[in-house]
């Protein structure tokens, strides 16, 4: 059944035209720039915002992994639409600081825009500015130039603190003006450092320094940590301590094997809410790894279902998931272990599509938002289950008496289907539920059910339900509740009524029984049933869905109360503008939608009026515009240009840096002198070239070979060696190579050995041992058959100041990068026609480029990407530039990434696009760059339609 079919079955449109007149009033969303003061407090139960208990349901997002500011609202709105109220955001020092003392917060680095976008979407922010963030980002977020400073990172070393303070001053100034407490934004918490576990006096002094600095810089929100049990009390303690938990680890190759859930109740600190600062939302994947589809399978919707609810049952009232949207480690931001994609198997994919986990997060998120008693609970006596494999973890709100029962497998890794009865002691008495003969409470494999009992909402009293509640709201003159369960399972709900109400089953099969305490409904979760119950102080409309049906149920809150919509791909926002209910959202090919709203005289969708008809259930039936089909052009008309003139003996390297250093900032010991580490000469990204000169004449003993040790970082490293323009060989998967110099290649006079190396990223400095200063480039160069200094070296790598808009990670040091070919390709005559797949067998560097005009439907959000396909056994590496942005590093013989999402803005869906690919072929086997094509990850009618990126400063 398609979405429309089952909804149609459920909602029969009547021909009642919409005439309801709405009172004229303006929506009262906070004026954007007027700072208001708010109070953020906490106690052992929860955070409170202006005294109101608030469940923090948060997802992690990294702006430096989405270089398109026009898409930031997309992520925040998608979070909000899934019931998230908070984003946890790392700020990467290195992303904003190309050089010591230099900072950039413009263009794709415009954090004022980012924080305004979060506020406008109704999302709170937990700000995590480091200075160290880890995050699988180069140097753990430390700037590239810190590789040249031999300071003791993450310690009270004054030389380090001076540099850290430089960053803190810059970032704190921005964060302070976006605080909820006294700024114009929604920053509610500030994390100090990251997973810092050094509780020694020095470690405490360091933490205290950062905290004093934050306060001195005007940070007034609570200081929080993800330092587990460190810094809970004493010097350096944060206000609220949080936990980092990744129960499944990071190997996605066995995605159906689970490790058990931790019991977070054991980690509740006195006087503080239980806060999981990072809880597993996916996993990163290494070069050559199983791929992100496997990570999405490991940390799937069932994982969210069992593990996130387990945290709720343990008493957590602040949960952040790392990642909710992973994005792209574009340019050279990845650490050596990871490839470009940071999809993470997260709820929102790198291409901004919904993983099934998104809908599970949404079901739980809506529940937490609607059922406010969850923010203040204590453990209580569990109910009894007649199935020994199941347990109940129960909590109760001491003020309202609302009970929460998490029914789950005793073993959280179990996957058996269990059918049971649960005995509960409730205000109305003891019940063994479900009561209906022949029906059961089903735990469907990897599933937990968070059941509500003794729950009162407005005019509705739910004594118990074996369905889970997704949301409940007063809409217009009645209450509307959404209950759900897995498709085909039994459900039973007992509602309290003083007198027998009138029950109208509008859709689906639901039986009702009037019993001592009220109205009992029995049903199977199948599609979307609808029951109207009249007779209480307000009518109650029950929507009872299977999991699938809940996917297209969206809730938004307006100044005139909640709005519920069934249908559309996504409801982004709803607000009243006089009598008009203005909705924004995304539409797919299923154009039917139903809206439950208060009174609205007009409804608009993305600014366009919609005609609406009233249905028997009181909903408005709407028809949304359908997206137009997307037809992607094939990529052809390629041209090529050779790109490694450095190989030639007579290449002019006179202006290159001479390797003459005898000391290094690195933690790696040089194998030979002079020091040849790229970072020591200011070359921090991607490829670095070395040219070693030696003289052959009578009187000189010339080397007959060369032994090299080269560190690229990780198993995706490589280096290639030429002598006087002749290929000597490449090394992949090792740091060591020995090359002999055949005498036929030697010439009298100056001889040149050219070495192409690559820095696959700098190590994180998790242990504060200076690992970001691990050497990159040549570590030792030993001439064979000649003296140690027979070869003199020059080197050239990335030029830091190229392309400030794109920043310090965009370009490495290939010839074409130093001349910015991806932006300025130069004379067309230098580029020769080429066809792909390329059949070259010459090792070296070749650049390919093409232009592709795109004319994709306007008013539509189309998520695009580039794909490279190769037959197995190709030995080359490629860097993909789109309009000058380096969006992908591809290693043909390692993988696993073949598809590279390109955010709109970087690619222009309505304009011309330049695609430039630098190919480094490492051997002589036939076959170069493979087939390159555009891919479409999804296209919806949408208010998000981004063409370009704003200019930087
Ligand atoms: C955490 C760390 C994050 C990230 C994560 C794994 O321990 O705080 O920055 O590295 O692990 O993705």
């Amino acid at each position: 059944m398609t979405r429309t079919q089952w909804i149609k079955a459920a909602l029969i449109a009547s021909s009642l035209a919409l005439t309801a007149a709405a009172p004229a009033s303006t929506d009262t969303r906070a004026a954007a720039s007027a700072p208001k003061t708010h109070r953020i407090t906490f106690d052992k139960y929860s955070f409170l915002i202006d005294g109101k208990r608030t469940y923090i349901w948060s997802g992690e997002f990294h702006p430096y992994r989405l270089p398109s500011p026009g898409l930031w609202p997309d992520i925040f709105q998608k979070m909000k639409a899934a019931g998230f109220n908070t984003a946890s955001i790392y700020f990467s020092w290195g992303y904003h600081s190309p050089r010591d003392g230099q900072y950039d917060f413009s263009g794709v680095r415009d954090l004022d825009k980012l924080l305004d976008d979060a506020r406008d979407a109704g999302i709170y922010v937990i700000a995590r500015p480091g200075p160290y963030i880890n995050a699988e980002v180069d140097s753990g977020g430390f700037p590239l130039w810190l590789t040249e400073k031999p300071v003791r990172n993450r310690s009270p070393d004054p030389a380090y603190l001076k540099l850290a303070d430089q960053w803190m001053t810059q970032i704190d100034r921005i964060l302070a003006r976006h605080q909820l407490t006294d700024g114009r934004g929604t920053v509610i918490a500030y994390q100090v450092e990251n997973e810092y576990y050094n509780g020694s006096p020095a470690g405490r002094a360091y933490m205290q320094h950062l905290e004093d600095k934050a306060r001195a810089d005007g940070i007034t929100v609570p200081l929080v940590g993800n330092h587990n049990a460190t810094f809970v009390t004493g010097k350096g303690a944060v206000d609220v301590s949080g936990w980092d938990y990744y129960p499944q680890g990071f190997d996605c190759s066995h995605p159906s094997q689970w490790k058990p859930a931790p019991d977070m109740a054991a980690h509740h600190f006195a006087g503080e809410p239980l806060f999981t600062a990072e809880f597993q939302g996916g996993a990163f994947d290494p070069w050559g790894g199983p791929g992100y589809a496997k990570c999405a399978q490991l940390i799937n919707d069932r994982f969210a279902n069992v593990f996130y609810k387990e945290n709720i049952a343990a008493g957590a009232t602040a949960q952040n998931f790392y990642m909710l949207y992973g994005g792209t480690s574009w340019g050279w931001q990845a650490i050596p272990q990871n490839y470009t994609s940071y999809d993470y198997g997260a709820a929102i994919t790198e291409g901004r599509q919904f993983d099934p986990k998104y809908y599970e997060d949404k079901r739980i998120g809506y529940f937490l938002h609607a059922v406010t008693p969850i923010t203040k609970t204590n453990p209580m006596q569990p109910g009894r289950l007649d199935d020994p494999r199941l347990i109940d973890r129960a909590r109760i709100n001491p003020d309202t008496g609302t009970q929460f029962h998490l029914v789950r497998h005793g073993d959280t890794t179990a996957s058996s289907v269990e059918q049971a009865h649960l005995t509960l002691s409730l205000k109305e008495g003891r019940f063994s539920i479900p009561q209906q003969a022949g029906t059961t409470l089903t735990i469907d494999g990897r599933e937990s059910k968070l059941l509500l009992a003794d729950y009162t909402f407005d005019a509705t009293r739910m004594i118990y339900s074996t369905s889970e509640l997704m949301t409940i709201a007063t809409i217009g003159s009645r209450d509307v509740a959404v209950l759900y369960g897995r498709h085909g399972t039994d459900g039973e709900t007992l509602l309290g009524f003083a007198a027998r109400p009138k029950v109208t089953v509008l859709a689906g099969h639901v039986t009702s029984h009037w019993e001592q305490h009220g109205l009992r409904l029995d049903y199977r979760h199948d599609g979307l049933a609808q029951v109207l119950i009249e007779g209480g102080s307000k009518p109650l409309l029950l929507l009872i869905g299977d999991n699938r049906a809940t996917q297209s149920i969206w809730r938004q809150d307006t100044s005139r109360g909640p709005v519920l919509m069934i249908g559309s791909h996504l409801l982004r926002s709803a607000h009243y503008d006089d009598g008009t209910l203005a909705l924004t959202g995304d539409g797919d090919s299923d154009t039917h939608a139903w809206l439950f709203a208060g009174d609205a005289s007009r409804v608009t969708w993305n600014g366009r009026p919609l005609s609406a008809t009233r249905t028997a259930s009181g909903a408005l039936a709407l028809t949304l515009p359908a997206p137009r089909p997307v037809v992607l052009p094939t990529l052809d008309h390629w041209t090529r240009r050779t790109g490694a003139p450095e190989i030639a003996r007579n290449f002019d390297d006179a202006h290159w840096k001479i390797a003459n250093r005898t000391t290094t900032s690195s933690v790696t010991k040089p194998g030979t002198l002079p020091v040849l580490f790229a970072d020591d000469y200011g070359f921090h990204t991607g490829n670095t070239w070395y040219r070693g000169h030696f003289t052959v004449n009578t009187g000189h003993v010339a080397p007959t070979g060369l032994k090299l040790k080269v560190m690229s970082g990780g198993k995706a490293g490589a280096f290639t060696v030429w002598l006087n323009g002749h290929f000597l060989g490449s090394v992949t998967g090792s740091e060591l190579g020995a090359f002999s110099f055949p005498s036929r290649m030697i010439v009298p006079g100056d001889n040149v050995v050219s070495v192409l190396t690559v820095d696959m990223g700098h190590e994180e400095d998790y242990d504060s041992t200076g690992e970001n200063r691990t050497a990159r480039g040549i570590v030792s160069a030993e001439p064979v058959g000649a003296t140690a200094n027979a070869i003199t070296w020059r080197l050239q790598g990335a030029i830091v100041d190229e392309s400030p808009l794109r920043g310090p990670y965009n370009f490495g040091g290939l010839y074409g990068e130093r001349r910015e070919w991806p932006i300025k390709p130069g004379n067309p005559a230098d580029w020769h026609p080429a066809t792909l797949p390329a059949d070259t067998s010459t090792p070296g560097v070749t650049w390919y480029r093409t232009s592709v005009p795109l004319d994709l439907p306007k008013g539509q959000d189309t998520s695009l990407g580039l794909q490279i396909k190769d037959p197995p056994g190709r030995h080359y590496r490629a860097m993909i530039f789109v309009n000058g942005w380096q969006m992908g590093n591809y290693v043909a013989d390692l993988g696993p990434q073949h598809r590279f999402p390109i955010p709109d803005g970087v690619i222009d869906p309505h304009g011309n696009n330049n695609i430039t690919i630098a190919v480094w072929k490492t051997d002589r086997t036939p076959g170069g760059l493979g087939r390159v094509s555009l891919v479409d990850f999804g296209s919806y009618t949408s208010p998000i339609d981004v063409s370009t990126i704003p200019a930087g400063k």
Side-chain angles (χ1 to χ4, degrees), residues 691-873:
R691 283 170 54 90
H693 293 258
F694 59 93
T695 309
V696 174
N697 61 20
T698 44
H700 260 92
V701 181
T704 57
L706 177 66
K707 284 198 210 158
L708 286 174
K709 176 172 182 184
V710 177
M711 287 171 63
S712 313
K715 66 174 176 185
F719 61 100
T720 303
V721 182
W722 290 265
L723 176 63
N724 294 331
H726 304 282
F727 176 64
L728 294 186
S730 289
V731 173
T732 55
S734 164
E735 295 176 344
L736 301 176
F739 305 87
S740 54
F741 296 165
S743 53
R744 64 187 159 81
M745 294 181 189
I746 300 286
V747 294
D750 183 34
N751 286 258
V752 178
V753 51
S754 304
V755 184
L756 177 57
T757 68
V758 63
D759 170 355
M760 296 306 293
H762 298 94
E763 308 292 341
E764 296 164 309
D765 198 11
Y766 193 81
D767 295 322
S768 183
T769 50
E771 279 179 279
N772 62 316
R773 301 195 307 274
T774 307
R776 293 291 178 258
I778 299 182
V779 174
S780 69
E782 262 181 78
V784 179
T787 54
N789 59 1
I791 302 179
T792 57
W793 293 92
R794 288 175 183 264
L795 67 163
Q796 177 66 58
I799 301 169
V800 177
D801 289 335
E802 293 306 345
S803 189
L805 169 66
R806 295 172 182 79
Y809 302 97
N810 195 62
F811 286 130
L814 288 182
Y815 186 83
E817 289 178 287
R818 299 185 328 252
R819 276 156 192 73
E820 297 188 272
W821 286 353
I823 303 170
K824 299 181 273 187
N827 187 351
D830 294 334
W831 294 81
H832 307 288
T835 49
L836 294 183
D839 58 6
T840 170
S841 53
T842 314
V845 180
T846 310
W847 288 74
Y848 293 83
R849 69 183 298 271
T850 189
S851 298
V852 57
L854 291 176
D855 184 17
L856 302 187
K858 291 243 166 78
Q860 218 158 300
D861 179 14
T862 308
S863 175
L864 297 172
L866 279 175
Q867 172 174 287
I868 302 183
K869 267 197 163 165
D870 282 309

Side-chain angles (χ1 to χ4, degrees), residues 60 62 90 128 132-137 191 194-195 197 226 244-246 250 278 282-284 322-323 338 342 344 764 766:
E60 185 82 17
H62 300 154
Y90 274 145
R128 309 205 298 159
Y132 178 80
I133 59 173
N134 210 61
E136 291 74 66
V137 71
Q191 182 181 300
N194 191 77
E195 288 190 326
Y197 303 133
N226 63 343
D244 279 9
Y245 259 97
Y246 293 82
F250 301 98
E278 287 180 33
F284 54 75
Y322 189 107
M323 299 294 303
N338 294 169
Y342 199 69
Y344 218 83
E764 296 164 309
Y766 193 81

Side-chain angles (χ1 to χ4, degrees), residues 94-113:
Y95 192 67
H96 296 276
S97 184
R99 288 175 184 281
D100 187 355
Q102 203 174 307
Y103 287 85
D104 182 8
F105 296 99
S106 69
V108 302
R109 296 174 172 73
D110 183 350
L111 299 181
D112 281 314
K113 179 185 187 302

Side-chain angles (χ1 to χ4, degrees), residues 477-766:
S477 56
R478 63 189 183 184
D479 291 344
V480 181
V482 181
L483 294 168
Y484 69 95
R486 290 252 164 96
H487 180 80
T489 59
D490 301 323
E492 182 173 284
T493 301
L494 181 61
L495 299 163
F497 282 96
R500 185 174 195 156
K502 178 176 166 215
V503 178
T504 315
V505 178
L506 297 165
H509 301 284
V510 177
T511 58
S512 60
H513 313 265
W514 177 243
E515 59 177 53
Q516 191 190 353
H517 305 288
L519 180 73
R520 177 157 62 81
L521 302 173
D522 284 281
Y523 45 85
R524 279 210 158 163
H525 300 102
D526 179 11
L528 190 70
Q530 289 193 64
V531 187
L532 181 64
I533 304 160
E534 295 160 295
S537 64
K538 259 185 199 163
L540 168 67
L541 179 69
L542 269 189
L543 306 176
I544 305 169
D546 57 19
N547 275 10
R548 170 111 187 268
T550 61
Q551 292 190 4
S552 59
I553 298 182
W554 305 99
R555 173 180 174 154
Q556 291 285 345
D557 293 335
T558 75
S559 58
R560 292 209 218 151
V563 165
L564 215 61
M565 179 156 156
I566 305 175
S568 86
H569 178 67
L570 167 69
L571 177 64
R572 293 175 180 273
S573 72
H575 80 273
Y576 281 93
D577 189 0
D578 286 330
T580 300
L581 176 58
L583 306 176
T584 68
D586 290 12
D588 55 24
S589 58
D590 188 343
T591 60
H592 296 86
W594 291 266
L595 184 71
F596 295 94
D599 38 9
S601 56
R602 258 162 54 92
V603 179
T604 63
W605 175 255
N606 299 333
R608 298 243 178 99
L610 289 179
S611 61
T613 49
R614 183 79 68 188
T615 69
S617 65
L620 297 176
L622 309 171
T623 305
L624 308 176
R628 289 195 283 137
V630 168
V631 182
L632 296 176
T634 51
L635 299 178
D636 46 21
H637 300 295
W638 290 93
T639 56
R640 66 188 286 274
R641 182 173 181 178
T642 57
E646 298 90 341
I647 296 170
R649 188 177 72 95
N650 60 359
F651 174 81
D652 180 7
D653 60 20
H655 59 285
W656 283 21
K657 287 209 172 137
I658 299 171
N660 55 7
R661 295 187 55 133
T662 53
T663 59
T664 175
S665 304
S666 177
V667 296
T668 309
K669 198 168 167 314
T672 52
L673 289 176
V675 174
L676 291 166
F677 304 163
D679 288 305
D680 282 317
Y681 296 89
F683 305 130
H684 304 303
T685 46
N687 297 108
T688 296
W689 278 99
Y690 293 81
R691 283 170 54 90
H693 293 258
F694 59 93
T695 309
V696 174
N697 61 20
T698 44
H700 260 92
V701 181
T704 57
L706 177 66
K707 284 198 210 158
L708 286 174
K709 176 172 182 184
V710 177
M711 287 171 63
S712 313
K715 66 174 176 185
F719 61 100
T720 303
V721 182
W722 290 265
L723 176 63
N724 294 331
H726 304 282
F727 176 64
L728 294 186
S730 289
V731 173
T732 55
S734 164
E735 295 176 344
L736 301 176
F739 305 87
S740 54
F741 296 165
S743 53
R744 64 187 159 81
M745 294 181 189
I746 300 286
V747 294
D750 183 34
N751 286 258
V752 178
V753 51
S754 304
V755 184
L756 177 57
T757 68
V758 63
D759 170 355
M760 296 306 293
H762 298 94
E763 308 292 341
E764 296 164 309
D765 198 11
Y766 193 81

Side-chain angles (χ1 to χ4, degrees), residues 132 157 212 255 257 266 278 430 458 468 507 654 669 811:
Y132 178 80
D157 171 3
D212 294 345
Q257 283 172 23
E278 287 180 33
R430 262 171 93 78
D458 193 15
E468 292 182 271
K669 198 168 167 314
F811 286 130

